[in-house]
Amino acid sequence: MNSFLKGALFGAAIGLLIAPMKGEELRRMISERAGELRERLPENEQITTYRQQVSDRLSQTTGTLKDYAQQASSTVKQAANTLSDVAQNTASTVKNTGQDVTEITRNTAKNSSNSAL
């Protein structure tokens, strides 16, 4: 809003400077319009209150976002730990199954060679 008001003031000033008027009349008109604009602007106390409200809301939102980020981080860590446990269990099961298959194959081979003799 501040930028808008500055732009409006600047545009009005340029418009007045370009208009064909006497210098004295132009200065008086600029002074009057500047006074009118000052009356429309909120008081410093209102601006300070508004700024504080915005700051408070921003802090509150920042805190909420930090909480969400921590929750997301915790959830991701838990999921990673669970996946790690599953991977370790699967690797152990595959290793044991491989050893069992090897043992069965050896026993079968021994039994086959003993039967063949």
Side-chain angles (χ1 to χ4, degrees):
M1 184 169 167
N2 192 18
S3 296
F4 175 76
L5 290 175
K6 285 180 183 178
L9 285 173
F10 183 73
I14 294 296
L16 291 173
L17 291 174
I18 295 175
M21 289 185 183
K22 293 182 180 178
E24 187 176 307
E25 186 178 334
L26 180 61
R27 285 190 295 274
R28 182 186 52 77
M29 183 181 265
I30 290 174
S31 177
E32 288 174 4
R33 290 201 181 168
E36 289 172 8
L37 286 174
R38 274 190 226 121
E39 290 173 6
R40 291 182 187 171
L41 291 176
E43 295 178 18
N44 285 338
E45 184 177 320
Q46 289 175 330
I47 291 173
T48 302
T49 302
Y50 179 71
R51 188 177 296 148
Q52 185 62 43
Q53 288 173 347
V54 169
S55 178
D56 291 345
R57 287 182 185 167
L58 184 61
S59 296
Q60 198 174 37
T61 301
T62 301
T64 302
L65 289 176
K66 283 181 183 179
D67 290 344
Y68 287 150
Q70 288 175 350
Q71 289 174 359
S73 174
S74 176
T75 302
V76 167
K77 285 179 184 177
Q78 288 175 353
N81 288 336
T82 301
L83 287 174
S84 176
D85 292 344
V86 168
Q88 288 175 355
N89 290 338
T90 303
S92 178
T93 302
V94 168
K95 181 180 177 183
N96 291 337
T97 302
Q99 290 172 348
D100 291 345
V101 168
T102 302
E103 188 71 28
I104 292 170
T105 304
R106 282 185 190 154
N107 289 338
T108 304
K110 281 183 185 180
N111 289 338
S112 293
S113 63
N114 287 338
S115 297
L117 293 176

